[in-house]
Amino acid sequence: MASLSASISCRSSPLVSPQALLGEPEEPRKRSHFPACRRSVLSHLPRSPACRVGVLPSLRRRDLSKTIHASVTDVSVDIAMKEVQLPKGETWSVHKFGGTCVGNSQRIKNVANIVMKDDSERKLVVVSAMSKVTDMMYDLIDKAQSRDDTYVFALDNVLEKHRSTALDLLEGNDLATFLSQLDGDINNLKAMLRAIYIAGHATESFTDFVVGHGELWSAQLLSFVIKKNGVHCKWMDTREVLIVCPTNSDQVDPDFPESEQRLEKWYSQNPSKTIIATGFIASTPYNIPTTLKRDGSDFSAAIMGALLRARQVTIWTDVDGVYSADPRKVGEAVILKTLSYQEAWEMSYFGANVLHPRTIIPVMRYDIPIVIRNIFNLSATGTKICRPSVSEDDDSHKLESYVKGFATIDNLALVNVEGTGMAGVPGTASAIFGAVKDVGANVIMISQASSEHSVCFAVPEKEVEAVAEALQSRFRQALHAGRLSKVQVIPNCSILAAVGQKMASTPGVSATLFNALAKANINVRAIAQGCSEYNITVVVMRDDCIRALRAVHSRFYLSRTTIAMGIIGPGLIGSTLLEQLRDQAAVLKEEFNIDLRVMGITGSRSMLLSEAGIDLSKWKELLKEKGEVADLEKFVQHVHGNGFIPNTVLVDCTADSVVASHYYNWLRRGIHVITPNKKANSGPLDQYLKLRALQRQSYTHYFYEATVGAGLPIVSTLRGLLETGDKILRIEGIFSGTLSYIFNNFTGKRSFSEVVAEAKQAGYTEPDPRDDLSGTDVQRKVIILARESGLKLELSDIPVDNLVPEPLRTSASAEEFMKKLPQFDQKWTKKLEEAKAAGKVLRYVGVVDLLKHRGAVEQQTYEKDHPFAQLSGTDNIIAFTTTRYREQPLIVRGPGAGAQVTAGGIFSDILRLASYLGAPS
Ligand code: ADP
Ligand code: ASP
Ligand code: MG
């Protein structure tokens, strides 16, 4: 076993040699140095790379791997004596636990349980650093190299975080061993940071060495916890196994053959069915500690999976799987059950940071599936990334199935190189990208117009200045000569990528995508669609990016009939409608795929706005608690401008002509309008005609069934007749529930004023019954039907029989009116008796006479067997006499007033809208 002196020599050896950390090959050290390190197997020793710095570049790789691995903490067998062969293949299951999964002691215990519950024969578990630790480590470097001496306190925090976690989890020898390693590591880091502080600079190797400690600690903690549960396990410092070659684009390329050999070797000395390995960290071929770069633990797991030819790699994180878009940006995002390797790669490349983009390549080579799962929700099955099965290929031909997900990359700039001198000149593109490469910038997408007039590409914003300078200088002459007109930088851009295996080859997908962007009023700055057929990439301004993402996402993922609604006027009718919507919403969504979201409710004083939809079971309370000062323009902007719901409807439940005056504008903006408010259709003729003309030209809908006869199908019946070519001759009806009641009950048993009082008592009249008796409400209904039938009349063209006696029209109050009304009973009694004598009844009707091009509101008499004479209660009745229905008019009859039926009429207009927008019928 290792001697104490060996361990001391290792720990007290200078940290990592400057050459090594600078990435330069070192002078060969005396060979005798190695055995000391190799034999330093006391379990309490820190796994400092100090043991490995004296690498001999001249040594053959195989020799090298022999010397390196030996610093493993708990090698308890003589290396030379016992070599166990690594069994590769399906018996292995690889897990990777992200930072949040091991974020505290409780979570580490939970991870241990999950690992132990996996009944695979062999398990290799890759762990990230505890959440935030890698950031803390990078921060140490930043502080030290900017000579901010608070790095010392920051390091104390790192120590404390791990110490307290260890105290929670471990005891006895395990605890002592871990704490002693931790202290040793922290001391080394202190010395190293001090050096960085003095130099005012940290090399990449220094940085990688420092930041990788989080994984060393978390992996050891987890392995101790598993062991404590009586399960045999080994922990692996992956710097001894994973060998990667740095590239110049902030990436590393794994050396698979070398890593595989090292893994075999490592395993032969540390055989175990449960291995806990560090994510993120690796070594260069010269054994310099390095990392797989930010978020690289996913990549570590994939490499391990490939080296072991594992059955599956499970990536445990804090979301239920890969969503169709970043769930932090798109609340509506849905979990994708499966993704192909290519789709997953594209999603992650374009910013879905749930997976490191390079994770796919190693596992794809061996067809190893990756499953993304949520450690906080074990009931979710997660997302499986694998080769698409044939059945899924044939899955469905729905548009949605061609687009799997959307992702975005922010902080980009576009560079546009333009000029007539570019066309047909070979080598221009190469010269441009040569210059870009020289400054080490990473080109994320390229788009070139086929005229070759311009080349445009996106680079990270922080690199654009250098790129622009390089291009200016590279093309100085061409710019001067005018062959190139400009090198233009467009800052503050984002990329939005739509990903789906077959989307680019499917007609209509990109049209739909661009249509969604256009509808959301988003300007597309550049487009690229590679031949890969896996993605379409668009560049938009950064400020538009989230809106763009939501717009396209909703177009492909939300029900096509998701409608954002704004309810104006939550009075009696408005609140009844909200109740009906509340009761019916779930059924509509489940059975008819109609998703109605009330995004705002506004009264005249306050309004309630919501980002994703108001909870209709408590809108009144919410309006009280969270309501803001009503502002109609802001309200409309909010409901319509949400950007992620494809359709907007404003439902005007007021009787206000000011609100009605906005309809034209709303329709022009593509907002559908539904209303029981009669003011727009009975207002000035020119405005009405303008409104209807706009409605006819556009695909924006304006429905107003409830303006006449509440929920009775009157406007729609009339339209149906007209559209099918019937000719309307006459429309005649009892359009007022109140006046219907009064005349149905004025049969001689009681006086006229008594019947009016009774109607008032029963709540059938307006608070001031003169509003009903004046006939203006009926007049508005008549003009609406007259105009609908094609008559170009003003409201004033409709004469009205005003039932309010002349002297009472100016009475001060409703009470005074009611008091004086009996004075006029005699006149009414006389009328009634005359009618009776002629075998008739009195009725108050509206008439549209298409033959005479006129309309009227009048008190009329009807034969006792006429349908109008049979009416009871507050029913409305409307008779359409047409060329087809000449002998027997078409009659619509039923309750034509009251909040429930009026709200029902509005609701059916909303559903009509949904079906016009494509809902199933
Ligand atoms: P870990 O530390 O476990 O590796 P990450 O933070 O790297 O976790 O990745 C998970 C996070 O990725 C999620 O919390 C989520 O916010 C984000 N994310 C971005 N895009 C997506 C997407 N399309 N699907 C799922 N998560 C996404
Ligand atoms: N801990 C590393 C990071 O935060 C690697 C990882 O967690 O994937 O970047
Ligand atoms: Mg991650």
Side-chain angles (χ1 to χ4, degrees):
M1 286 285 97
S3 69
L4 188 61
S5 70
S7 80
I8 290 168
S9 94
C10 194
R11 290 188 74 184
S12 58
S13 64
L15 288 168
V16 180
S17 77
Q19 290 99 319
L21 285 174
L22 288 168
E24 291 165 10
E26 292 181 18
E27 281 298 303
R29 290 196 182 190
K30 281 192 202 122
R31 250 172 177 272
S32 60
H33 211 88
F34 282 103
C37 268
R38 190 176 74 234
R39 310 293 293 184
S40 65
V41 292
L42 278 188
S43 59
H44 69 275
L45 279 185
R47 317 271 332 285
S48 158
C51 299
R52 294 184 297 281
V53 290
V55 172
L56 299 174
S58 55
L59 281 181
R60 283 181 13 250
R61 280 192 167 174
R62 274 201 72 64
D63 300 337
L64 202 86
S65 64
K66 269 186 208 153
T67 54
I68 300 305
H69 59 70
S71 65
V72 175
T73 314
D74 37 18
V75 171
S76 52
V77 283
D78 190 325
I79 297 159
M81 282 168 57
K82 192 171 179 191
E83 295 228 334
V84 180
Q85 235 195 331
L86 171 65
K88 292 179 195 158
E90 299 266 312
T91 55
W92 284 100
S93 147
V94 172
H95 294 264
K96 177 257 169 174
F97 292 91
T100 42
C101 305
V102 289
N104 59 38
S105 51
Q106 195 49 47
R107 290 185 182 174
I108 295 176
K109 278 189 201 159
N110 183 35
V111 166
N113 282 333
I114 291 179
V115 172
M116 290 183 298
K117 272 193 201 137
D118 175 3
D119 53 14
S120 306
E121 193 179 338
R122 296 188 172 80
K123 295 164 258 189
L124 185 137
V125 177
V126 173
V127 276
S128 290
M130 293 175 74
S131 58
K132 310 253 166 51
V133 167
T134 312
D135 290 340
M136 290 165 97
M137 304 305 277
Y138 275 106
D139 184 51
L140 292 175
I141 301 275
D142 285 349
K143 285 200 158 89
Q145 66 181 348
S146 54
R147 302 213 166 105
D148 170 355
D149 43 25
T150 61
Y151 77 83
V152 181
F153 305 113
L155 186 59
D156 285 345
N157 289 340
V158 171
L159 171 64
E160 198 37 48
K161 182 172 178 114
H162 290 89
R163 194 211 304 268
S164 62
T165 310
L167 286 169
D168 275 355
L169 291 172
L170 311 177
E171 53 209 11
N173 272 350
D174 290 352
L175 180 63
T177 306
F178 180 82
L179 290 181
S180 137
Q181 287 187 1
L182 180 65
D183 282 343
D185 287 342
I186 295 284
N187 280 336
N188 287 344
L189 287 172
K190 211 173 265 171
M192 196 152 197
L193 290 164
R194 176 77 188 148
I196 294 172
Y197 179 89
I198 292 166
H201 175 69
T203 63
E204 200 181 331
S205 310
F206 263 67
T207 306
D208 281 347
F209 172 70
V210 171
V211 299
H213 275 74
E215 272 71 9
L216 289 170
W217 297 322
S218 60
Q220 289 179 78
L221 281 170
L222 177 63
S223 79
F224 275 124
V225 175
I226 291 180
K227 268 191 262 183
K228 197 174 149 188
N229 281 281
V231 175
H232 181 267
C233 85
K234 297 278 182 182
W235 87 276
M236 176 196 283
D237 176 347
T238 40
R239 293 178 302 187
E240 293 164 18
V241 172
L242 279 190
I243 299 302
V244 298
C245 306
T247 71
N248 51 11
S249 53
D250 201 29
Q251 287 190 358
V252 292
D253 289 333
D255 179 340
F256 284 98
E258 176 64 26
S259 302
E260 194 160 338
Q261 281 179 17
R262 291 196 184 203
L263 177 63
E264 284 162 7
K265 194 76 194 170
W266 184 93
Y267 185 84
S268 72
Q269 291 147 7
N270 300 276
S272 181
K273 290 189 168 178
T274 305
I275 297 170
I276 312 299
T278 54
F280 187 45
I281 53 178
S283 291
T284 70
Y286 294 114
N287 294 292
I288 314 296
T290 188
T291 68
L292 305 188
K293 310 305 164 196
R294 285 315 306 258
D295 297 316
S297 296
D298 300 338
F299 191 20
S300 306
I303 300 170
M304 287 315 220
L307 294 178
L308 292 169
R309 318 286 188 269
R311 178 176 54 78
Q312 176 170 300
V313 174
T314 310
I315 301 217
W316 295 87
T317 181
D318 58 357
V319 280
D320 283 355
V322 181
Y323 280 88
S324 49
D326 187 337
R328 290 164 300 188
K329 295 180 179 162
V330 182
E332 314 287 329
V334 296
I335 290 289
L336 302 171
K337 278 207 161 64
T338 58
L339 275 177
S340 71
Y341 290 120
Q342 282 84 356
E343 287 166 339
W345 183 82
E346 299 264 356
M347 285 285 283
S348 55
Y349 176 81
F350 286 107
N353 55 339
V354 62
L355 201 64
H356 186 280
R358 303 205 59 202
T359 314
I360 300 302
I361 308 298
V363 289
M364 193 169 135
R365 189 184 303 170
Y366 301 106
D367 258 351
I368 301 169
I370 298 185
V371 179
I372 315 273
R373 293 198 57 190
N374 189 352
I375 190 141
F376 305 112
N377 180 14
L378 297 180
S379 62
T381 49
T383 300
K384 185 168 185 179
I385 300 166
C386 55
R387 191 173 294 281
S389 71
V390 181
S391 61
E392 202 212 344
D393 244 12
D394 302 330
D395 188 22
S396 95
H397 296 288
K398 282 195 313 207
L399 203 54
E400 289 79 2
S401 67
Y402 294 111
V403 181
K404 281 287 179 65
F406 298 91
T408 54
I409 311 179
D410 288 330
N411 302 327
L412 297 178
L414 266 186
V415 180
N416 186 28
V417 184
E418 211 172 295
T420 43
M422 283 166 69
V425 181
T428 313
S430 138
I432 292 173
F433 293 110
V436 177
K437 177 181 166 280
D438 290 347
V439 295
N442 179 25
V443 177
I444 296 165
M445 67 153 261
I446 305 171
S447 150
Q448 178 178 8
S450 56
S451 71
E452 298 186 36
H453 184 74
S454 74
V455 173
C456 140
F457 55 92
V459 291
E461 194 120 53
K462 61 179 189 317
E463 290 166 1
V464 74
E465 208 174 304
V467 168
E469 268 170 30
L471 289 170
Q472 297 280 0
S473 120
R474 176 78 180 70
F475 292 106
R476 181 160 295 128
Q477 209 182 330
L479 284 161
H480 187 68
R483 279 181 285 121
L484 281 191
S485 58
K486 61 180 170 192
V487 172
Q488 181 193 10
V489 170
I490 304 161
N492 303 323
C493 291
S494 294
I495 276 184
L496 164 66
V499 174
Q501 186 114 25
K502 292 176 292 178
M503 63 181 293
S505 59
T506 307
V509 179
S510 50
T512 309
L513 180 85
F514 288 108
N515 186 282
L517 290 171
K519 260 189 149 178
N521 205 12
I522 284 153
N523 191 18
V524 174
R525 302 301 304 243
I527 304 168
Q529 178 186 315
C531 306
S532 77
E533 308 194 348
Y534 299 138
N535 99 59
I536 298 175
T537 310
V538 296
V539 177
V540 298
M541 296 317 288
R542 186 164 57 224
D543 288 347
D544 289 339
C545 185
I546 292 204
R547 233 160 30 90
L549 180 64
R550 290 178 179 169
V552 293
H553 184 271
S554 64
R555 182 61 191 83
F556 286 94
Y557 269 97
L558 288 191
S559 145
R560 197 166 355 150
T561 42
T562 300
I563 305 178
M565 312 211 320
I567 309 288
I568 306 169
L572 181 60
I573 291 173
S575 44
T576 309
L577 174 66
L578 287 165
E579 264 167 35
Q580 294 180 356
L581 284 167
R582 177 200 62 202
D583 295 345
Q584 201 57 17
V587 177
L588 287 174
K589 197 163 172 189
E590 270 153 41
E591 290 179 21
F592 300 96
N593 205 16
I594 297 172
D595 189 354
L596 302 174
R597 310 270 182 96
V598 179
M599 311 296 282
I601 300 174
T602 182
S604 53
R605 279 185 299 275
S606 61
M607 66 180 181
L608 175 66
L609 306 179
S610 152
E611 286 302 323
I614 295 171
D615 177 352
L616 295 185
S617 64
K618 51 178 181 199
W619 68 267
K620 280 187 182 146
E621 293 87 317
L622 290 171
L623 184 60
K624 246 183 233 144
E625 282 162 27
K626 301 203 173 139
E628 45 189 288
V629 177
D631 173 343
L632 193 55
E633 186 42 46
K634 187 174 169 201
F635 177 81
V636 174
Q637 189 52 41
H638 172 85
V639 176
H640 187 47
N642 68 70
F644 75 98
I645 299 185
N647 313 290
T648 310
V649 62
L650 290 173
V651 183
D652 172 18
C653 298
T654 71
D656 189 1
S657 47
V658 176
V659 177
S661 70
H662 291 287
Y663 295 173
Y664 182 82
N665 200 312
W666 293 342
L667 289 172
R668 230 185 30 186
R669 287 161 69 181
I671 303 172
H672 309 288
V673 177
I674 290 175
T675 189
N677 179 355
K678 293 182 269 293
K679 293 291 160 51
N681 283 12
S682 61
L685 179 66
D686 57 337
Q687 283 175 32
Y688 168 83
L689 292 173
K690 233 175 94 190
L691 186 63
R692 296 301 308 274
L694 176 66
Q695 180 198 7
R696 288 203 180 97
Q697 280 159 23
S698 69
Y699 287 96
T700 314
H701 301 288
Y702 170 43
F703 295 143
Y704 40 84
E705 181 64 88
T707 52
V708 184
L712 296 180
I714 295 173
V715 176
S716 49
T717 302
L718 175 55
R719 277 208 183 173
L721 293 170
L722 290 166
E723 282 165 8
T724 58
D726 202 354
K727 194 164 178 282
I728 312 291
L729 305 174
R730 184 180 175 87
I731 305 169
E732 188 172 354
I734 294 172
F735 293 107
S736 156
T738 316
L739 293 168
S740 174
Y741 179 89
I742 291 172
F743 285 97
N744 295 343
N745 288 282
F746 180 47
T747 51
K749 290 192 192 109
R750 277 154 295 161
S751 68
F752 187 75
S753 64
E754 275 168 344
V755 179
V756 173
E758 190 180 281
K760 184 172 189 309
Q761 189 71 32
Y764 296 146
T765 68
E766 293 293 322
D768 186 338
R770 286 176 294 181
D771 290 342
D772 299 298
L773 293 170
S774 68
T776 42
D777 184 62
V778 179
Q779 185 192 28
R780 287 192 186 277
K781 291 172 180 163
V782 167
I783 191 81
I784 290 172
L785 294 180
R787 287 174 174 177
E788 194 71 38
S789 317
L791 297 184
K792 293 197 170 61
L793 297 175
E794 290 287 0
L795 188 63
S796 55
D797 295 331
I798 312 289
V800 180
D801 223 345
N802 188 339
L803 304 187
V804 183
E806 188 81 51
L808 301 189
R809 289 185 195 163
T810 49
S811 299
S813 67
E815 287 67 39
E816 197 184 324
F817 164 74
M818 289 304 289
K819 216 153 90 212
K820 292 187 178 159
L821 190 60
Q823 297 168 12
F824 301 86
D825 277 342
Q826 218 177 353
K827 185 184 123 207
W828 279 110
T829 313
K830 188 163 166 256
K831 272 193 185 184
L832 181 63
E833 271 161 13
E834 278 169 15
K836 271 185 168 171
K840 292 182 173 179
V841 297
L842 297 180
R843 292 293 180 259
Y844 191 73
V845 295
V847 179
V848 180
D849 187 336
L850 275 302
L851 297 173
K852 296 194 181 133
H853 295 264
R854 59 177 287 272
V857 177
E858 54 206 17
Q859 186 262 295
Q860 278 284 2
T861 53
Y862 290 87
E863 298 288 342
K864 282 222 168 79
D865 59 354
H866 190 277
F868 287 13
Q870 320 295 320
L871 226 49
S872 61
T874 57
D875 276 6
N876 281 12
I877 186 163
I878 293 91
F880 294 94
T881 311
T882 73
T883 341
R884 284 184 204 143
Y885 296 95
R886 193 191 285 266
E887 300 308 320
Q888 281 286 350
L890 170 63
I891 286 186
V892 180
R893 173 186 163 165
Q900 284 296 341
V901 288
T902 308
I906 304 168
F907 200 172
S908 76
D909 269 352
I910 295 171
L911 296 184
R912 189 193 328 246
L913 173 67
S915 80
Y916 277 34
L917 296 173
S921 55

